């Protein structure tokens, strides 16, 4: 039996840093042999794994000691619950969305920070908790202290001289409401006002004030309409697509490619190549496809949807007569006329 005890590295680090009496229980300390604890005290804390974490604990020892106090169990639990709630809310809302909400209500946020700073000791801690930079807080504070209802931005002209004057606002309204420039872009109207030396503001300021005045709106992301998908079969030889495409060779000869494609498997059931575009060639490819895929003794209960485009090679008396006399019940449909979808499946080949 091994009579030696193995101690955790963090225990040794506490002794090396001299913070063992503050962090460890007296009962536990009494169980450690004096020779062992004396050896740990003389050790360099840098030799132990996790030394940088122990140094952080030491640097904020007063806070740690307060949190570990047995008399503050209920408060500690409440604080931990608050932190978990705060982190959860931050995760649900998102940091960018939280910043946008705080910016929209900056006057109330500044008052909240000022009123609660006495409980936190300083404003920096509250700003850090709310993800507000010190520069942003000082700017919001300055705006709150120098409010002005006469200004479009709601701040005093003397304290914020960079904003445009009331005269320029009047000029901006006049140009943007002029019917002569109704079909001009905002940038073109701004350039016209600059050329006439009626204003001196930048294009960015022109955009910002036209939005603030409600003359223009922020550009919304364009909603891309969903492409309408073609029909989808539930099995093989349920829906076919038929089309004719052409290919021109280098010696300027045009070849017509007659294809029949199964909707479910995307298999090219039949294809023919000819230099002539005719209903006869179209009929031959369809007949061979029927002969290869369907048995002669197939009953009339079987039904095949044949999707074609509006070309004359697919819509003629020859094709119609064959469909009427065929042992397979074929229902020919013209894409984008008899049905709402296109014949794009066969056009991909």
């Amino acid at each position: 039996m091994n009579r030696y005890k193995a101690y955790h590295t963090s225990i040794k680090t506490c002794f090396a840093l001299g913070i063992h009496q503050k962090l460890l229980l007296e009962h536990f300390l009494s169980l450690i042999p004096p020779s062992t604890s004396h050896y740990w005290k003389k050790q360099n804390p840098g030799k132990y794994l996790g030394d940088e974490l122990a140094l952080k604990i030491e640097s904020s020892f007063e806070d740690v000691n307060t949190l570990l106090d047995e008399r503050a169990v209920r408060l500690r639990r409440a604080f931990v619950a608050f932190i978990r709630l705060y982190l959860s809310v931050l995760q649900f809302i998102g940091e960018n969305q939280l910043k946008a909400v705080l910016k929209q209500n900056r006057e109330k946020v500044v008052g909240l920070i000022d009123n609660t700073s006495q409980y936190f000791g300083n404003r920096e801690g509250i700003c850090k908790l709310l993800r507000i930079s010190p520069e942003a807080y000082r700017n919001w504070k300055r705006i709150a202290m120098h409010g002005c209802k006469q200004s479009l931005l709601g701040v005093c002209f003397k304290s914020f001289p960079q904003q445009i004057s009331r005269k320029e606002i009047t000029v901006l309204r006049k140009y943007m409401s002029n019917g002569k420039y109704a079909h001009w872009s905002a940038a073109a109207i701004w350039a016209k006002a600059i050329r006439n030396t009626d204003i001196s503001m930048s294009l960015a300021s022109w955009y910002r004030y036209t939005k603030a005045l409600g003359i223009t709106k922020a550009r919304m992301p364009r909603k891309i309409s969903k492409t309408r998908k073609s029909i989808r079969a539930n099995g093989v030889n349920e829906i076919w697509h038929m089309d004719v495409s052409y290919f021109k060779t280098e010696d300027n000869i045009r070849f017509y490619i007659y294809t029949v494609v199964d909707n479910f498997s995307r298999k090219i059931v039949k294809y023919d190549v000819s230099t002539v575009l005719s209903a006869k060639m179209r009929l031959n490819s369809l007949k061979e496809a029927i002969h290869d895929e369907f048995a002669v003794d197939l009953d009339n209960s079987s039904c095949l949807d044949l999707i074609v485009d509006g070309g004359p090679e697919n819509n003629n008396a020859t094709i119609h007569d064959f469909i009427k006399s065929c042992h397979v019940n074929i229902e020919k449909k013209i894409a984008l006329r008899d049905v709402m979808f296109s014949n794009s499946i066969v056009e991909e080949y």
Side-chain angles (χ1 to χ4, degrees), residues 113-290:
I113 294 175
D114 292 340
N115 294 332
T116 56
S117 60
Q118 54 181 327
Y119 303 106
F120 285 84
N122 54 57
R123 295 178 177 86
E124 287 74 12
I126 307 176
C127 292
K128 192 172 183 181
L129 183 67
L130 297 176
R131 299 293 198 274
I132 302 174
S133 64
E135 294 77 12
Y137 167 74
R138 287 193 291 267
N139 187 39
W140 294 358
K141 179 76 172 179
R142 185 182 170 199
I143 293 175
M145 293 176 61
H146 302 89
C148 178
K149 296 182 179 180
Q150 299 297 326
S151 169
L152 182 62
L153 298 181
V155 292
C156 178
F157 282 95
K158 293 182 178 180
S159 301
F160 295 86
Q162 294 83 5
Q163 56 185 310
I164 66 175
S165 63
R166 298 185 184 89
K167 180 182 178 181
E168 286 184 307
I169 292 177
T170 303
V171 173
L172 185 149
R173 288 180 181 273
K174 180 180 177 181
Y175 269 92
M176 293 299 294
S177 61
N178 193 332
K180 187 167 59 175
Y181 310 130
H183 301 287
W184 289 28
S185 65
I189 300 175
W190 166 82
K192 178 67 174 178
I194 288 288
R195 189 176 294 112
N196 294 341
T197 65
D198 291 332
I199 60 167
S200 59
M201 72 179 76
S202 64
L203 178 59
S205 298
W206 183 274
Y207 280 136
R208 183 155 58 97
Y209 281 94
T210 53
K211 291 177 184 178
L213 291 168
I215 300 174
T216 59
K217 296 182 179 180
R219 180 176 295 178
M220 301 297 292
R222 187 166 64 100
K223 185 177 181 181
I224 301 176
S225 59
K226 295 183 179 179
T227 56
R228 181 177 295 169
K229 294 184 178 180
S230 184
I231 191 172
R232 293 292 181 264
N234 297 319
V236 178
N237 295 332
E238 180 181 321
I239 301 174
W240 282 1
H241 297 268
M242 192 167 68
D243 193 25
V244 180
S245 57
Y246 72 90
F247 177 79
K248 185 179 290 186
T249 60
E250 293 183 355
D251 52 353
N252 204 27
I253 299 177
R254 176 176 291 191
F255 288 91
Y256 294 94
I257 306 171
Y258 300 80
T259 53
V260 179
V261 177
D262 179 65
N263 179 282
F264 182 80
S265 63
R266 300 297 197 273
K267 172 187 174 183
I268 300 178
V269 181
K270 187 63 181 178
Y271 74 92
D272 281 322
V273 180
S274 174
T275 57
V276 179
L277 178 64
S278 66
K280 182 178 179 180
M281 287 296 302
R282 175 74 283 176
L283 178 61
N284 289 337
S285 62
L286 179 59
K287 279 184 176 181
E288 292 180 5
I290 295 291

Side-chain angles (χ1 to χ4, degrees), residues 17-44:
L17 292 172
I19 60 175
H20 54 284
Q21 292 182 347
K22 299 176 180 180
L23 296 181
L24 304 178
L25 299 177
E26 294 183 3
H27 174 69
F28 178 76
L29 293 174
S30 63
L31 299 178
I32 302 175
S35 58
T36 303
S37 60
H38 182 72
Y39 174 75
W40 289 342
K41 292 176 184 178
K42 290 186 176 182
Q43 293 296 316
N44 180 12

